[in-house]
């Protein structure tokens, strides 16, 4: 009989950041040019993968297909945003598993700063930039947008409802950089300072794998973070562009 604690939940959780998107590419170009805004005339939910991003997602799919059947994902949840959903679909094309979407996994809402670079925000909204410096990245909420703490609230709601549904399953979650970082905050019960230290030290790579495994006490333990071996093995580019306006 299992020694797991009384709470239900998946036995394994994979966290996957979407492949490189056209938004990531536009953000890198804007920073290189010192521009205040991205050259990207499309809604954030509709931003597609770049060709590199599609290759990354397909490489992830080939990796998952080589795993023994008893180690592959049995359930997949994705952000409904195009870049994440396409990543999930390409990565599971060779698996007999349904991809479900949940809006609680969506990208953090940047509000008035959507599509802006850090330089543009500091130039056009200097008072907000100072307020952000005072409050810190975790608690700062852009005008009309969300803080990381706001993202944590919706992710706690997601986990509460999905734990029972996916009890003892191997669950893969495909989402965004901030979502993955905040899930680490929740799973590992990190402090704000600990989370920000992880965020400073390492960017979450596109199509990377972060894996948690349930121990005998029923606690999800970090097994690997930000793994990209499956991309290197397939000679795919490893990209780490931050999400748009992540400075906000």
């Amino acid at each position: 009989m299992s020694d797991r604690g009384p709470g239900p939940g998946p036995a394994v959780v994979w966290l996957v950041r979407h492949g490189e998107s056209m938004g990531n590419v536009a953000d890198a170009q804007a920073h290189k040019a010192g521009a205040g805004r991205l050259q990207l005339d499309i809604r954030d939910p509709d931003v597609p993968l770049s060709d590199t991003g599609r290759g990354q997602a397909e490489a992830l799919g080939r990796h998952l297909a080589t795993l023994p059947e008893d180690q592959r994902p049995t359930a997949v949840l994705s952000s409904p945003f195009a870049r994440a959903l396409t990543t999930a679909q390409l990565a599971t094309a060779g698996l007999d598993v349904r991809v479900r979407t949940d809006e609680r996994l969506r990208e953090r809402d940047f509000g008035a700063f959507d599509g802006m670079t850090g330089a543009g925000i500091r130039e056009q909204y200097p008072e907000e930039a100072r307020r952000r410096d005072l409050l810190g990245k975790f608690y700062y909420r852009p005008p009309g947008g969300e803080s990381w703490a706001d993202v944590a609230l919706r992710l706690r709601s997601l986990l509460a409802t999905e734990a029972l549904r996916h009890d003892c399953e191997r669950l893969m979650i495909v989402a965004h950089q901030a979502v993955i970082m905040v899930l680490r905050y929740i799973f590992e019960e990190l402090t704000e300072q600990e989370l920000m230290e992880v965020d400073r030290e390492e960017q979450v790579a596109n199509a990377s794998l972060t894996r948690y495994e349930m121990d005998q006490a029923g606690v999800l333990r970090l097994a690997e973070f930000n793994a990209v071996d499956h991309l290197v093995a397939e000679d795919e580019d490893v990209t780490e562009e931050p999400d748009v306006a992540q400075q906000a």
Side-chain angles (χ1 to χ4, degrees):
M1 191 167 76
S2 173
D3 293 327
R4 278 182 51 182
V12 179
V13 176
W14 284 279
L15 305 178
V16 177
R17 186 186 177 196
H18 61 78
E20 182 189 67
S21 72
M22 293 307 298
N24 296 144
V25 174
D27 188 61
Q29 292 172 342
H31 277 87
K32 185 176 181 180
R37 185 171 290 276
L38 278 62
Q39 294 298 312
L40 194 66
D41 187 20
I42 189 172
R43 284 195 324 158
D44 191 36
D46 301 329
V47 172
L49 293 178
S50 66
D51 289 342
T52 294
R54 293 185 68 88
Q56 293 167 337
E58 290 167 352
L60 173 59
R62 288 190 290 272
H63 167 70
L64 294 175
T66 65
L67 296 176
E69 192 168 346
D70 63 354
Q71 295 180 23
R72 298 175 185 174
T74 57
V76 181
L77 277 177
S78 174
S79 159
F81 282 26
R83 55 193 181 274
L85 181 55
T86 303
T87 299
Q89 292 168 335
L90 291 173
T92 59
L95 307 179
D96 183 21
V97 62
R98 176 190 173 199
V99 177
R100 294 173 49 238
T101 60
D102 193 302
E103 72 282 351
R104 291 170 292 184
L105 289 170
R106 68 188 183 277
E107 172 66 288
R108 176 188 166 208
D109 189 343
F110 295 107
F113 297 163
D114 186 34
M116 298 184 68
T117 64
I121 294 167
R122 289 188 292 273
E123 179 180 350
Q124 296 187 36
Y125 297 91
E127 291 185 5
E128 286 297 323
R130 288 191 290 272
R131 192 165 72 87
R132 191 269 191 193
D133 290 342
L134 176 64
L135 290 175
K137 186 173 183 176
F138 188 77
Y139 287 110
Y140 174 71
R141 181 185 294 129
E146 293 180 295
S147 67
W148 280 35
D150 293 326
V151 175
L153 288 174
R154 57 176 158 94
L155 292 177
R156 291 186 189 279
S157 167
L158 172 89
L159 296 172
T161 58
E162 294 299 322
L164 183 60
R165 179 171 189 156
H166 298 296
D167 190 29
C168 297
E169 290 203 68
R170 298 183 295 276
L171 175 64
M172 187 168 83
I173 294 175
V174 184
H176 309 268
Q177 179 171 267
V179 170
I180 290 172
M181 294 302 294
V182 174
L183 283 170
R184 283 204 61 176
Y185 168 78
I186 295 170
F187 287 154
E188 300 171 47
E189 299 183 343
L190 301 177
T191 64
E192 174 195 358
Q193 292 74 24
E194 289 169 337
L195 177 62
M196 291 299 100
E197 182 177 353
V198 174
D199 183 60
R200 284 191 297 270
E201 290 178 351
E202 192 165 358
Q203 291 285 343
V204 180
N206 295 111
S208 61
L209 277 173
T210 295
R211 188 177 83 258
Y212 287 85
E213 297 180 352
M214 188 78 76
D215 66 14
Q216 290 298 309
V219 177
L220 284 171
R221 301 291 184 186
L222 183 66
E224 62 178 344
F225 174 55
N226 205 23
V228 294
D229 294 351
H230 53 286
L231 301 179
V232 175
E234 295 280 342
D235 291 326
E236 293 290 343
D237 290 339
V238 176
T239 55
E240 299 178 339
E241 292 99 337
D243 287 327
V244 176
Q246 70 146 4
Q247 300 92 341

